[in-house]
Structures are given as structure tokens and as C-alpha cells.
Amino acid sequence: MTAAPRRLPGRLLAPAPGWTTMADVVIVGSGIAGLTAALRLRGQVGKVLVVTKDVLNAGSTQWAQGGIAAALGPGDTPEEHEWDTLVAGAGACDADAVRVLVTEGPEAVRELIALGTNFDHDPDGALSLTREGGHHRDRIAHAGGDATGAEIQRALIAAVQAAPDIEVIEHALAVDLMLGSGPDGVERVVGVTLHVMGEGQRDGIGAVHARAVVLASGGLGQVFTQTTNPSVATGDGLAVALRAGATLRDLEFVQFHPTVMYLGPDSRGQQPLISEAVRGEGAFLVDGPPEEGGSRFMQGVHELADLAPRDVVAKAIMKRMLETGAAHMWLDARHLGAEFWERRFPTILATARSHGIDPVTELIPVAPACHYASGGVRTDLDGRTGVPGLYATGEVACSGVHGANRLASNSLLEGLVFSRRIAAVLPGELAPWTPLRTDRRPSGLIDAEVRRELQEAMTARVGVLRSAPGLTEAALLLDKLAGCVAATPDQESWETTNLVTVAAALADAAAGREETRGSHWREDHPERDDLRWGGHFDVTMTDGVIAAAFVPAPPTDTLPPGALPPGAVPADTIPAEPDGAA
Ligand code: SIN
């Protein structure tokens, strides 16, 4: 007898809308991707409405520390940035999307500067650029030392607030996308239902009728117990897109940041990030205090040692933790000195001190924690999803630039570049106003009480290190949780339903990929296997049942025979050592 398939809500159980409004384009999310889309679309499409789950700066952009990567420094080229991105992505990138990212990136960053973002500069006035894992050049622009995201968010919010034609609704959870039949008879997105915790006319559930919706709602970090993501990152955009018929791609590639401050085994939710830029400025990992015999362990693991791509460092930390039985490793940045710490990393310094660790005199305890969803709603090069009228950009999207492991500081850039591209095509694609059709998707709701159990199972079984038995246990638990229905719709149960939905898609893709690639680490399949697993897992939902299908694609990180990576110097052009040189 075959077990009945796991059935998830095909839409969220919610009261009928108590209010309605209209906007030509609704943008869901207010980080770099959402606000860039709004600023670029205004003036082109009638009314632009930004809806955001909390206040404008509550999303992940605000928390970005390291910076934004682009080939802006002397000697750097988009080709070198492209190669570093493809290598970090472990063969699973979309080569065309990466080319778009690196070639349009420099201009997009210059535009951000023109908008009023104050990036840091060297004493000679040049843009200050640093290095992070996987980069072979200094190419990370930063602001306020380690407060890059906060400065970008500030500049974007100021620009949006100065634009009277952009309307904003805060405290608005996107509950579901509304569907209708377009003039061609094809199903399309015709708006979004919201739950607004507001006052007056727009309070509770409402319907926003629209001609297009742009999802820019960020990631899914809250699927796990410890994450660098803020509490709003509950995968809502991914879940609403899946329920509306969009495809999710590469969800198994969840990036665990190697150096998240370890606050103890019971710490939950958002944890303090210790930016990779700290290693970029010379900090290194040790398996114990050097004074007590601890040593560095990244040398010999990778040519870039402590600045290897993020997946390599996270795995090396986990391996050392397993070997030594320690709950964390340490970051030694004491030699950077008080003056440097205060100037270059003021936010991290203050946060570490607030948790009782002074990085100027003490080692910082660190362990990997969930940081970034490299996959998301599958889009083409212009942010179109497979559902007419629905676009996606930023972390919620899978444009193909990150592959199996995002290169450090490419995420802010992705939001910037692909939102510009959406704004270039969307106005020409706007459909006439289309009526909503009766929604036949099976509605439902999962009990908010299961959130903690979900997070713990996902962390233990579908976290940094995965294997078939653990993934099977996770699948069984997800079957059980899908049946834990709630009767009373509220924000907690909507979010929990989204978390379970996204976790199920992620776990199914992770179970399918029987190899180790990038941030997907299978204990039982420790090697990368291009022959069987070169390609992507695409997840779709029909009548509440999700299915993961494998789509083969050739690896994108292999050079033709004899070719050198960009920036490499051919051996025969390296001058020979003079006779007698040591
Ligand atoms: C960091 O500062 O280490 C995070 C940067 C990123 O996630 O790209």
C-alpha cells in the first residue's frame, strides 16, 4: 500500500477581505530589491505600492555587514568576478545570469552611490574595497565599516519617502497571490491578499488588485533554529509563489555562514553575524586558544585558507567541531587592535561586547548558522517567474547567479541588478486589469505550536550536514506537521504554514540530491557527481501536493581544456628566477 502524499494548504485559510485597493504594481518587500524596483518603476506604470511585513527597514538588507561586490577596483574585471562567482557556485550557476550580474553590477553600484549611499573611502579618496571568502580581489564596497546594509537601506528609504507617487503599507503580511484568467485565457496573478496590522480603513485582511506583483520578500532563515536572518524571514514569498503555481529551484542550497557568534546551545532565532570581512582583514580560525595549544585549521584545506568560499569554511568548522567534540570554534582577531576594531567593525565590536566577549582581547566563539537561501522562485534573466504577472527579485528569487553556494556579498548586488532589469521590462508587459477568479485551491492552516519542533528537526536533519536516514526522519515529521491543523487564522499560524511548506520543499530537494555540492553536504554521498546530479531540483505544487523534479544542466564552472581562469598569469610569462635566487 502506498502512503497518501503529504498535502499542504493550497492557499492559507483567512477571512474574506474586509477592504480592497488597487495598484498597477505591488512590490512585496522593502529591502534593496524591493525599494530598487519601486524607485525604478515609478513614473513608468501608474501606481506603485510597496507592502512590507514590518517597518521598512526590518528585513535582511538592514543586517548586511560585509558589503556589496562589484569589479570596481584597479585591475579588477567583470570576468574575474564572474569566475569567482562560478567557482563558488560549484557548477550549478546559470552562466548567463552570472554574466548579467557582473557586467551590470558596477554601474548599478555607481547608481546607488549617486542616490546618496555613503560608502567608505580610503584616505586618498578612492572607494575602499575589501575582500571576502572566494574572491581573488579586493572588490567589496562597504559603508560605516560593517554597517553596509543599514546605510544602503537608509539611502533607499530616503529616496522612497521623497517620492510621493510610491505608496507604502507597513505591517502587511502577504497572505496569498490572487489569480485570474488573462485576455489570452492563461492564468495570471491579479493581485495579493494582505493581512495588515493597522488602523482605520486598512486593518485586517484586504485585497490589493494589481496588474503585476513583484516579490522581493527575502529568505527563509527562520526555518532553522539559529540564523543570521531577522524574525520576518519566514519564507512567505516562496510559499505564496509556490501556492500560485510558480516553480522553486535550488532550494536545497541553503548557505550556512561559517562565523556566527555562538551564544550557547539554547540560543534561538537571529544570532549575531561576524562578517567574513573580519577574516578579509586578517582574522583567522583556531580550534582553541593558541595559548592553550589551539591551532589554525584552514591552512591546507584550501588555497585561500580562512578566505576559502563559504561552504568550504563552514564544512571545515563543522568537521573540526565533530572531531574535537566542541560546540564551536574560535575566531582570533585580537591582533587587529582596538583602534582598527572601532573604526572598521564598530557594529560587530559593540554586539560582541554586549554578549560579554571583547574581540580586542578575547577569541570570538563561532559556529555555522543558516544565512542565505541560494535558491528561490525560479526566474528568467528579467525576473519573470513562470506565472504571468508575477516577478521575483533578491533572496526570494532564484535567478541562477548563486548556484550551490553564493559568493560573499553577491546578494545585495543581485537584488540591485535584477530589480533594475525587472523595471526595464515590466512596464511593457503590463496586462489590462483582470478580474479575480473563484479560488479553487484547497485552503488550510498549520498550528503555530509546531514551529519549534519544525525548526529543531530542520536544523538537526536538514542543516549543515545531511544524510538519507536524517532526511527520511525529517520527511516523516513534515508529514505529521502537515496534519497539525489550526482553526483560527492569525499571523503566527500563517507564518508557520509558510515555514512548513518551504521546509517540505527544501527537504524533498535535499533528499533527492544524492551528492555533495556547494552548501549541500551529504555525509552518505560525500563527492560531487556531475554525471548524475549536474542540474537543478525544481519544486512545484498541485492541489497542495509538492513534487521535486530533477532538470539536468551541464556544470558551469569548468574551463575549456588549456584555458586559464581570468586574471591568472600563464606560467610561461612568469619571469624566471635569476640564477642563485633563493
Ligand atoms: C558577511 O559580511 O560575512 C556576510 C556577507 C554576505 O552574506 O554576503
Side-chain angles (χ1 to χ4, degrees):
M1 198 175 78
T2 35
R6 178 195 309 129
R7 202 169 286 278
L8 291 155
R11 71 189 155 97
L12 295 180
L13 183 69
W19 54 271
T20 58
T21 189
M22 293 173 91
D24 291 85
V25 181
V26 181
I27 296 164
V28 181
S30 58
I32 189 169
L35 297 191
T36 299
L39 289 165
R40 304 277 303 196
L41 282 165
R42 67 179 282 245
Q44 293 196 78
V45 294
K47 181 170 162 187
V48 175
L49 172 65
V50 175
V51 300
T52 190
K53 191 170 162 184
D54 196 293
V55 291
L56 278 174
N57 68 352
S60 295
T61 295
Q62 174 78 15
W63 294 93
Q65 293 179 350
I68 185 161
L72 292 161
D76 199 3
T77 61
E79 287 71 29
E80 286 188 48
H81 186 190
E82 179 181 23
W83 184 243
D84 286 345
T85 301
L86 293 171
V87 170
C93 296
D94 177 314
D96 294 335
V98 174
R99 173 61 58 90
V100 161
L101 180 82
V102 299
T103 52
E104 297 181 15
E107 189 197 322
V109 174
R110 281 192 280 270
E111 203 174 88
L112 201 54
I113 295 169
L115 188 83
T117 313
N118 294 311
F119 284 100
D120 296 333
H121 288 80
D122 292 334
D124 64 1
L127 194 62
S128 178
L129 297 171
T130 191
R131 196 174 292 214
E132 290 183 304
H135 291 270
H136 284 81
R137 293 261 184 195
D138 291 349
R139 79 166 60 98
I140 319 293
H142 47 87
D146 57 4
T148 312
E151 170 56 16
I152 291 174
Q153 187 80 68
R154 181 205 60 75
L156 287 167
I157 290 176
V160 165
Q161 287 175 341
D165 48 346
I166 299 178
E167 193 188 342
V168 174
I169 306 182
E170 294 182 318
H171 304 289
L173 171 77
V175 175
D176 266 310
L177 292 163
M178 292 158 33
L179 300 171
S181 290
D184 46 8
V186 174
E187 186 164 84
R188 61 180 298 111
V189 165
V190 299
V192 58
T193 51
L194 300 178
H195 178 259
V196 179
M197 283 195 266
E199 296 169 344
Q201 289 184 329
R202 287 197 189 146
D203 188 23
I205 294 284
V208 185
H209 295 273
R211 298 166 71 196
V213 173
V214 179
L215 288 177
S217 50
L220 51 70
Q222 298 292 331
V223 161
F224 297 92
T225 47
Q226 289 95 16
T227 174
T228 59
N229 295 187
S231 60
V232 289
T234 51
D236 309 318
L238 297 155
V240 298
L242 185 67
R243 291 194 292 263
T247 298
L248 307 186
R249 171 167 279 196
D250 290 346
L251 268 204
E252 68 274 32
F253 298 126
V254 178
Q255 183 168 75
F256 285 75
H257 196 289
T259 54
V260 178
M261 191 170 172
Y262 180 75
L263 300 180
D266 298 326
S267 187
R268 295 280 178 280
Q270 188 178 14
Q271 312 289 306
L273 175 67
I274 310 294
S275 174
E276 221 161 57
V278 179
R279 276 174 284 136
E281 300 288 0
F284 50 84
L285 288 154
V286 286
D287 58 8
E291 310 75 62
E292 295 167 24
S295 26
R296 296 182 68 166
F297 55 89
M298 283 309 300
Q299 289 157 322
V301 172
H302 191 275
E303 44 124 2
L304 292 169
D306 293 87
L307 279 181
R310 206 165 270 180
D311 58 323
V312 176
V313 183
K315 281 179 200 160
I317 291 178
M318 282 301 291
K319 277 190 183 147
R320 207 70 199 106
M321 282 164 52
L322 292 171
E323 281 158 15
T324 60
H328 60 83
M329 290 288 114
W330 285 265
L331 190 67
D332 194 345
R334 295 172 293 182
H335 57 289
L336 300 183
E339 185 279 323
F340 187 84
W341 262 105
E342 277 154 23
R343 175 171 49 79
R344 184 68 181 82
F345 300 118
T347 318
I348 301 171
L349 182 65
T351 306
R353 284 178 172 162
S354 76
H355 288 287
I357 297 286
D358 186 349
V360 177
T361 56
E362 294 174 277
L363 302 182
I364 310 170
V366 290
C370 172
H371 183 58
Y372 191 84
S374 295
V377 184
R378 183 180 166 195
T379 64
D380 68 9
L381 295 181
D382 297 310
R384 299 179 194 92
T385 69
V387 184
L390 181 64
Y391 301 76
T393 170
E395 188 172 356
V396 72
C398 179
S399 65
V401 298
H402 305 312
N405 175 49
R406 175 174 64 85
L407 183 68
S409 287
N410 266 357
S411 50
L412 293 174
L413 190 69
E414 184 197 24
L416 202 55
V417 165
F418 286 89
S419 290
R420 285 160 42 110
R421 290 180 74 86
I422 288 174
V425 299
L426 186 153
E429 297 176 358
L430 271 183
W433 292 96
T434 309
L436 174 68
R437 71 152 164 67
T438 309
D439 206 324
R440 287 186 209 92
R441 293 175 289 174
S443 69
L445 205 56
I446 295 176
D447 195 337
E449 289 294 313
V450 310
R451 188 190 280 220
R452 178 105 181 218
E453 192 178 359
L454 172 79
Q455 291 168 327
E456 286 180 356
M458 289 300 287
T459 304
R461 314 271 174 250
V462 199
V464 185
L465 188 53
R466 301 166 175 173
S467 68
L471 289 162
T472 304
E473 282 175 36
L476 290 172
L477 179 84
L478 284 158
D479 292 349
K480 185 188 96 177
L481 300 187
C484 295
V485 295
T488 317
D490 57 16
Q491 177 119 353
E492 273 287 297
S493 49
W494 288 319
E495 282 185 352
T496 303
T497 309
N498 289 341
L499 285 169
V500 173
T501 302
V502 170
L506 197 170
D508 285 359
R513 186 173 286 281
E514 294 178 334
E515 64 156 357
T516 289
R517 179 187 298 270
S519 53
H520 174 69
W521 184 14
R522 287 284 300 251
E523 203 174 12
D524 48 349
H525 298 282
E527 304 299 331
R528 170 171 156 176
D529 182 352
D530 282 338
L531 232 48
R532 285 183 71 207
W533 299 115
H536 309 275
F537 273 96
D538 280 356
V539 178
T540 50
M541 177 185 267
T542 311
D543 290 333
V545 177
I546 56 173
F550 184 67
V551 183
T556 47
D557 60 345
T558 44
L559 286 167
L564 285 171
V569 181
D572 58 4
T573 65
I574 299 173
E577 294 282 359
D579 281 351

